[in-house]
Amino acid sequence: NSYLLYNPANYYYTNDGAPLTALETVRWRLVMFKANGIDRAAYLGGLPLLEVKNVVNGVGTTARRAIKKAHTKQFGEVLFFPTSNNQIVMFNGAEIKFISEPIDAPNDESPFELGNLRDAVAVVDPKKGWYICFFDDYGIVYDYNLNSWWPFDNQDFEATAGAYLSDEEYHVV
């Protein structure tokens, strides 16, 4: 489940006093995002009821609508999300893998680069194996089965929306 309509920063703070920016689950664990870190909660079954542990320092997100869960062939269940410093990463619940390095700066290999990802939104197309991230009136596709990037272009983006047609079918509108 994704907590897209819920803004945890209005209600909760982590052990270090930083406000939460997003909540999500990965591999049956609750993950709590901050702007510059990620905590994970584990159910203990007694007292105390939960244990909150910091699992990542220096990498977090404020783009809660761009955190998406996917099931990859190589890594299993992971989360994709843009970081607060405008990179896109893959997170398995314990470790971060920076996947946007080929496109995170102008170079001779890529015709595009990442922009401001603070307000990015994203969708996952599980049939194609795509993580599609929209930002600054632009869209990019990461094919997580082929480890490749390309622009989601030739379209005018003024707004994006997703529609669930069933548990197994999701479309970008």
Side-chain angles (χ1 to χ4, degrees):
N1 292 329
S2 184
Y3 305 94
L4 293 180
L5 300 177
Y6 175 73
N7 186 353
N10 292 337
Y11 307 99
Y12 297 107
Y13 294 84
T14 58
N15 292 343
D16 61 5
L20 295 180
T21 58
L23 299 170
E24 187 55 82
T25 59
V26 63
R27 299 185 183 191
W28 297 98
R29 294 218 173 143
L30 178 65
V31 179
M32 298 168 287
F33 290 89
K34 303 176 283 187
N36 291 302
I38 303 172
D39 291 350
R40 184 178 60 211
Y43 175 67
L44 299 178
L47 291 176
L49 190 60
L50 293 175
E51 174 187 50
V52 177
K53 179 181 177 184
N54 180 264
V55 291
V56 176
N57 277 316
V59 177
T61 189
T62 58
R64 60 190 171 99
R65 289 177 179 86
I67 302 170
K68 296 299 170 194
K69 188 182 305 183
H71 297 274
T72 67
K73 293 176 184 176
Q74 185 176 2
F75 300 104
E77 184 179 87
V78 297
L79 296 175
F80 292 101
F81 65 91
T83 67
S84 296
N85 56 351
N86 294 329
Q87 296 180 328
I88 296 179
V89 298
M90 180 174 61
F91 178 59
N92 67 5
E95 298 175 331
I96 293 282
K97 180 178 180 185
F98 290 88
I99 59 173
S100 64
E101 290 175 349
I103 61 167
D104 67 358
N107 58 52
D108 294 334
E109 299 174 19
S110 173
F112 62 99
E113 63 182 284
L114 295 178
N116 180 8
L117 299 175
R118 178 181 169 88
D119 297 318
V121 296
V123 294
V124 165
D125 185 331
K127 289 184 180 178
K128 295 178 180 173
W130 291 358
Y131 171 80
I132 309 167
C133 187
F134 301 95
F135 60 95
D136 293 341
D137 299 324
Y138 196 71
I140 56 171
V141 176
Y142 175 65
D143 187 320
Y144 50 82
N145 291 322
L146 299 176
N147 190 29
S148 62
W149 291 93
W150 64 87
F152 198 60
D153 59 1
N154 295 327
Q155 302 175 48
D156 291 328
F157 297 115
E158 293 185 18
T160 58
Y164 284 100
L165 300 180
S166 69
D167 286 341
E168 300 188 13
E169 197 170 349
Y170 186 84
H171 293 277
V172 177
V173 181

